């Protein structure tokens, strides 16, 4: 009989009658939680995984537009002129030629390929598309910039 016990750490411990095995599960994290970008520039939301991802796992990116309460899965393969990355080898997501509709929250997940439940979730990273240089100054004056990086 095999029992699987999940803990809050990144380790999954599998007990059986004859052996004890420890398997490291992949986790993902985001480098920043707020991004500011001017329209028509490319920008990357940097994601880091704890282990190299094999074919057993997949990366899923979701976007929840500003002023919306619904997120949608970003299908990177269907939009090669809009997105790059977001794969096992390159988990970071690059948004090409950013426009106002790209504003909002982005979340990244690691799943076992072909399964529903996520093993690891990171985010949100909030993207603000600025219309002018004055917009960035307004955000800074309000104390809303959590990091001082404009990508």
């Amino acid at each position: 009989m095999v029992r699987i016990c999940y803990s809050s750490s990144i380790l999954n411990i599998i007990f059986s009658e004859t052996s004890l095995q420890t398997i490291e599960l992949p986790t993902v994290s985001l480098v920043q939680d707020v991004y500011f970008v001017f329209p028509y520039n490319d920008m990357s939301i940097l994601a880091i995984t704890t282990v190299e991802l094999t074919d057993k796992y997949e990366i899923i990116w979701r976007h929840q537009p500003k002023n919306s309460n619904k997120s949608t899965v970003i299908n990177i393969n269907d939009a090669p002129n809009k997105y790059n990355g977001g794969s096992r080898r390159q988990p970071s997501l690059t948004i090409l030629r950013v426009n106002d509709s790209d504003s909002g929250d982005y979340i990244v997940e690691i799943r076992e390929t072909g399964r529903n439940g996520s093993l690891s979730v990171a985010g949100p990273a909030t993207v603000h598309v600025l219309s002018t240089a004055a917009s960035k100054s307004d955000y800074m004056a309000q104390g809303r910039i959590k990091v001082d990086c404009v990508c």
Side-chain angles (χ1 to χ4, degrees):
M1 180 170 124
V2 175
R3 291 176 288 159
I4 300 176
C5 301
Y6 293 95
S7 69
S8 60
S9 70
I10 63 170
L11 297 180
N12 181 15
I13 301 174
I14 301 174
F15 298 95
S16 73
E17 293 175 0
T18 57
S19 67
L20 173 63
Q21 224 179 339
T22 302
I23 302 168
E24 186 175 5
L25 292 176
T27 61
V28 65
S29 60
L30 298 176
V31 175
Q32 288 180 205
D33 59 359
V34 177
Y35 292 82
F36 293 87
V37 63
F38 290 104
Y40 309 109
N41 289 311
D42 298 347
M43 59 141 323
S44 293
I45 300 173
L46 304 177
I48 300 171
T49 58
T50 54
V51 295
E52 185 175 333
L53 299 177
T54 64
D55 290 345
K56 180 178 178 178
Y57 303 105
E58 61 185 341
I59 296 275
I60 306 289
W61 278 93
R62 295 180 178 277
H63 175 227
Q64 181 175 334
K66 68 179 180 181
N67 303 322
S68 173
N69 59 358
K70 292 187 178 184
S71 68
T72 58
V73 172
I74 297 172
N75 192 334
I76 294 163
N77 294 329
D78 288 348
N81 295 325
K82 184 64 183 170
Y83 302 105
N84 281 330
S87 65
R88 286 184 285 275
R89 290 195 178 117
Q90 184 185 358
S92 297
L93 177 69
T94 299
I95 306 168
L96 305 173
R97 297 189 48 79
V98 171
N99 62 52
D100 194 52
S101 67
D102 298 314
S103 292
D105 292 336
Y106 289 80
I107 296 170
V108 61
E109 305 173 7
I110 295 178
R111 292 185 185 168
E112 285 189 70
T113 302
R115 295 198 178 215
N116 287 332
S118 296
L119 296 173
S120 179
V121 178
T126 302
V127 173
H128 298 279
V129 178
L130 306 175
S131 57
T132 64
S135 296
K136 181 182 174 196
S137 299
D138 292 343
Y139 276 99
M140 290 173 71
Q142 296 172 23
R144 293 179 61 187
I145 292 184
K146 296 180 185 173
V147 291
D148 58 359
C149 173
V150 177
C151 301

